[in-house]
């Protein structure tokens, strides 16, 4: 004879619902990005809720919110250990693994890309001979590197960058930009998205091959400055797929390519953008700075 579960799951509206057991209530939201839980009751009840939510969604547990500090709201937090990324309480975000306050300001991922007027970032074979750069553009883009302590690349772009920038400042013909960017490149951590690159003997380079969305979210949650992407269209498309890019610094070049590698790829839903600033350069290039509104 089957025994009826002592708890009930009740949908309320859309993806919002409540879980009840022994008089206690836990609210939940099944969003497209992840699962949000409000209060945790006690460990046994929280465990039952987790089991039920896993049946309804394959998304990660993104956030656990404690509305009070009483035991009947927070004792179940332990059931989420190693499962949920953040716990939000009255005094800020708490790391569920250590109960210590963590950084509440997420690092931003900033994409910097040259693009043709018709929306391509490279020719059919990746050609970039149409891109115009000069000291004015270097000076303008220097604002971004000043606010970043991590660079993120795809494998192809990283190999190209790493073959030049480590020693660029040492060359006899090195200009102001070469010296400054070389110093920045050598000082920051590098993240490379690649399934083929082996990262065991790389200096100050971390390779992400799997679980990209989860790993990048962990990276954004760490204390530090922004994460800067230069070029790397394939890696950018992966991040766009998960809506992980926070700002776009686009340099629109006065050229129409007709075909090539598109700026945007992997996007399945509309992404709202707010224009933060713009600048027209004497060369005809126009700099556009957009922020994602999510």
């Amino acid at each position: 004879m089957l025994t009826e579960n002592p708890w009930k799951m009740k949908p309320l509206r859309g993806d919002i619902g409540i879980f009840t057991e022994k008089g206690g209530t836990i609210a939940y939201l099944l969003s497209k990005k992840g699962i949000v839980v409000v209060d945790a009751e006690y460990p046994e009840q929280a465990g039952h809720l987790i089991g039920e939510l896993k049946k309804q969604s394959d998304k990660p547990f993104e956030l656990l919110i404690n509305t009070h500090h009483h035991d009947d709201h927070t004792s179940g937090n332990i059931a989420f250990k190693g499962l949920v990324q953040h716990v939000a309480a009255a005094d800020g975000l708490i790391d569920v693994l250590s109960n210590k306050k963590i950084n509440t300001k997420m690092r931003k991922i900033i994409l910097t890309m040259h693009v043709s007027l018709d929306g391509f970032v490279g020719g059919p074979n990746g050609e970039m001979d149409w891109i115009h750069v000069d000291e004015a553009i270097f000076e303008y883009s220097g604002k971004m590197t000043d606010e970043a302590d991590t660079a993120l690349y795809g494998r192809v772009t990283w190999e190209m960058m790493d073959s030049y920038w480590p020693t660029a400042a040492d060359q006899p013909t090195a200009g102001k930009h070469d010296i400054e960017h070389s110093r920045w490149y050598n000082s920051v951590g590098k993240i490379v998205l690649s399934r083929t690159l082996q990262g065991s003997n790389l200096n100050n380079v971390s390779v992400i091959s799997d679980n990209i969305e989860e790993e990048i979210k962990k990276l954004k949650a760490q204390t530090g400055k922004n994460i800067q992407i230069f070029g790397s269209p394939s890696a950018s498309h992966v991040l766009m797929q998960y809506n992980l890019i926070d700002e776009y610094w686009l340099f629109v070049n006065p050229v129409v390519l007709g075909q090539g590698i598109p700026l945007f790829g992997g996007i399945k839903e509309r992404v709202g953008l707010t224009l933060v600033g713009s600048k027209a350069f004497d060369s005809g290039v126009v700099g556009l700075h957009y922020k994602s509104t999510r």
Side-chain angles (χ1 to χ4, degrees), residues 18-268:
I18 57 173
F19 167 96
T20 57
E21 183 177 1
K22 295 183 179 179
T25 301
I26 304 175
Y28 62 85
L29 166 67
L30 303 176
S31 75
K32 294 180 179 179
K33 294 183 179 179
I35 301 172
V36 178
V37 176
V38 181
D39 290 329
E41 286 199 44
Y42 295 98
E44 181 181 3
Q45 286 75 34
H48 295 157
L49 169 69
I50 291 170
E52 292 294 332
L53 292 179
K54 284 184 174 181
K55 295 177 184 177
Q56 297 188 28
S57 174
D58 59 357
K59 300 297 182 181
F61 284 83
E62 192 77 19
L63 179 65
L64 170 62
I65 301 173
N66 293 148
T67 59
H68 297 279
H69 295 292
H70 304 149
D71 286 348
D72 59 343
H73 290 268
T74 62
S75 294
N77 283 13
I78 191 64
F80 290 89
K81 184 175 181 179
L83 187 65
V84 70
Q85 292 193 23
H86 299 296
V87 176
D91 59 349
L93 287 176
I94 307 297
D95 185 338
V96 73
L97 299 179
S98 63
N99 283 335
K100 295 179 180 179
K101 286 187 181 181
I102 61 174
N103 180 34
T104 60
K105 183 179 180 182
M106 297 288 284
R107 303 166 76 189
K108 293 185 291 186
I109 292 183
I110 315 293
L111 172 63
T112 300
M113 191 80 79
H114 280 268
V115 58
S116 68
L117 189 59
D118 54 343
F120 295 105
V121 298
N125 298 308
E127 300 93 339
M128 295 184 292
D129 55 337
W130 51 274
I131 292 176
H132 180 86
V133 291
D134 55 28
E135 287 301 322
I137 293 177
F138 288 147
E139 190 71 25
Y140 184 73
S141 60
K143 302 174 185 177
M144 292 170 282
T145 54
D146 290 342
E147 298 177 0
D149 62 5
T150 303
L152 191 152
Y153 305 105
R155 179 187 59 81
V156 174
T157 302
W158 173 76
E159 288 178 342
M160 179 176 65
M161 295 289 188
D162 207 57
S163 67
Y164 178 76
W165 286 116
T167 59
D170 302 328
Q171 303 306 311
T173 58
K176 179 175 180 287
H177 172 69
D178 290 322
I179 295 171
E180 291 178 349
H181 196 78
S182 178
R183 289 173 179 170
W184 177 83
Y185 182 88
N186 288 326
S187 68
V188 301
K190 268 80 71 178
I191 307 295
V192 181
L193 304 187
S194 174
R195 296 187 183 278
T196 59
L197 185 65
Q198 300 299 315
S200 58
N201 297 317
L202 300 175
N203 182 31
N204 205 20
V205 176
S206 299
V207 179
I208 298 178
S209 302
D210 300 299
N211 303 318
I212 291 177
E213 180 181 16
E214 178 182 349
E215 294 300 320
I216 294 298
K217 284 183 176 180
K218 289 179 181 177
L219 187 66
K220 293 181 68 175
Q222 294 175 2
T223 301
K225 294 184 178 182
N226 293 332
I227 302 162
Q228 183 68 52
I229 313 174
F230 288 105
S232 304
S234 296
S236 299
H237 291 170
V238 174
L239 299 182
M240 290 174 188
Q241 177 183 346
Y242 301 115
N243 197 15
L244 291 172
I245 297 177
D246 300 285
E247 295 185 15
Y248 294 83
W249 288 65
L250 306 177
F251 293 90
V252 182
N253 285 247
V255 62
V256 175
L257 297 182
Q259 58 181 329
I261 302 170
L263 169 61
F264 295 103
I267 298 177
K268 300 176 183 178

